[in-house]
Amino acid sequence: MVHLKTGEEVEIIKESAQILGKAHGEVARLVKPGVKTSALDKVAEEFIRDHGGVPSFKNYNGSFPASLCISVNEVVVHGFPGNYELREGDIIAVDCGVYYKGYHSDSAYTYPLEGAKPEILLLLERTYESLLRGIEQAKAGNRMGDVSHAIQSYVESFGYGVVRELVGHGVGKNLHEDPEVPNYGKRGKGVKLIPGMVFAIEPMINLGTKNVVQERDGWTIRTADRRPSAHFEHMVAITKEGTEVLTTHKYIEENYSYKWRNKSR
Ligand code: MG
Ligand code: MG
């Protein structure tokens, strides 16, 4: 069942998303070779709590151990921060959620470190572009399949694999609500998009096979062929006036020292 949000609720979610965006920005300052992923987690948690929020992921389902999901290279999503030190050529997906005034926000960004191969930079650029194309289709009167199809058709044209097992989702009083937002689907199919819907669109796109496996820790999802995977996520609100992107990557782009965009060309 989809919980439609009032304008007031959307405003609170935007406040939550601002804290989230700035927490991402604090993480961005630290992403570089030699940094332990646990250090990124610490900074995000402190920032969120200092600004009156609670990290949405910590203790999620009674077991997720951290405030960030940190997914390096062949890890698709749900990796744990820990003692791993980032290296030149790595890519690192940082996913974060904030709970504030009763509402969640959720967004993700994949960073390439300097030295990442051109084919991997292209994967990141195209995954980002697929997110934008999905957002463009997320409007009142369209169906979810229009969003899904826009993402899938774009990235599959490059031969990439679209992860099937994990999808985007509604967000509100719960981190994960209806509707599901698959990254694959058919135009004109799926739930109708109507004002009041708030959901996260989050393409998870693999350089190789679409197939993934879960590690024994019960959380970490990696590609079956161990080739790299990219993940970007924004939340949108469908309104009568149009679609609003609620989350922001602005602080990441401002604070990350490696200006990687268009480096693949
Ligand atoms: Mg999400
Ligand atoms: Mg997320």
Side-chain angles (χ1 to χ4, degrees):
M1 185 187 150
V2 177
H3 296 281
L4 299 178
K5 276 75 180 177
T6 64
E8 282 172 5
E9 289 178 295
V10 171
E11 287 308 310
I12 298 172
I13 294 171
K14 277 163 72 176
E15 288 181 53
S16 178
Q18 273 299 308
I19 298 170
L20 172 62
K22 290 175 182 171
H24 267 297
E26 293 308 302
V27 171
R29 293 180 198 281
L30 296 182
V31 174
K32 51 180 75 94
V35 172
K36 281 187 182 165
T37 56
S38 57
L40 307 180
D41 187 62
K42 186 164 177 276
V43 156
E45 177 165 8
E46 281 174 7
F47 185 91
I48 292 165
R49 293 194 192 278
D50 285 351
H51 290 80
V54 174
S56 300
F57 299 174
K58 197 140 196 183
N59 297 319
Y60 186 80
N61 271 353
S63 71
F64 194 78
S67 300
L68 299 180
C69 294
I70 294 193
S71 304
V72 178
N73 297 334
E74 74 273 21
V75 178
V76 179
V77 286
H78 303 166
F80 298 169
N83 285 326
Y84 179 78
E85 286 183 10
L86 296 175
R87 296 178 199 167
E88 265 188 35
D90 280 348
I91 59 170
I92 168 182
V94 175
D95 195 352
C96 188
V98 168
Y99 185 66
Y100 180 75
K101 293 186 179 172
Y103 291 85
H104 292 276
S105 55
D106 185 9
S107 76
Y109 187 94
T110 302
Y111 301 81
L113 273 74
E114 286 197 59
K117 289 181 194 151
E119 65 168 357
I120 298 178
L121 293 178
L122 269 178
L123 172 72
L124 266 50
E125 283 180 11
R126 289 162 172 170
T127 302
Y128 204 102
E129 173 65 22
S130 77
L131 171 59
L132 300 182
R133 287 176 182 229
I135 290 170
E136 213 172 86
Q137 293 300 317
K139 54 190 177 193
N142 271 8
R143 289 189 179 267
M144 195 60 86
D146 297 316
V147 175
S148 306
H149 180 265
I151 294 168
Q152 180 182 18
S153 59
Y154 181 69
V155 297
E156 284 188 349
S157 73
F158 304 105
Y160 300 149
V162 177
V163 175
R164 299 298 201 274
E165 289 82 351
L166 300 138
V167 296
H169 50 93
V171 189
K173 289 181 177 168
N174 300 295
L175 180 60
H176 297 113
E177 299 182 352
D178 288 338
E180 288 197 340
V181 186
N183 298 305
Y184 57 94
K186 293 200 167 64
R187 227 182 250 146
K189 300 285 182 189
V191 296
K192 196 163 190 180
L193 306 184
I194 55 174
M197 282 183 170
V198 171
F199 53 83
I201 306 175
E202 48 180 316
M204 289 156 257
I205 309 300
N206 301 343
L207 189 58
T209 177
K210 68 182 190 307
N211 298 328
V212 298
V213 296
Q214 188 171 51
E215 302 281 15
R216 287 206 191 118
D217 62 23
W219 281 104
T220 307
I221 306 286
R222 68 164 170 83
T223 56
D225 60 6
R226 296 192 181 269
R227 298 184 77 197
S229 181
H231 180 210
F232 292 92
E233 176 179 28
H234 268 316
M235 282 171 63
V236 297
I238 310 294
T239 75
K240 285 191 200 101
E241 292 76 35
T243 296
E244 192 173 5
V245 179
L246 305 180
T247 44
T248 178
H249 294 148
K250 180 179 129 187
Y251 304 101
I252 294 175
E253 304 267 346
E254 282 176 7
N255 293 348
Y256 186 42
S257 59
Y258 179 32
K259 304 300 176 196
W260 61 278
R261 300 285 203 145
N262 301 318
K263 281 275 189 338
S264 58
R265 285 172 206 142

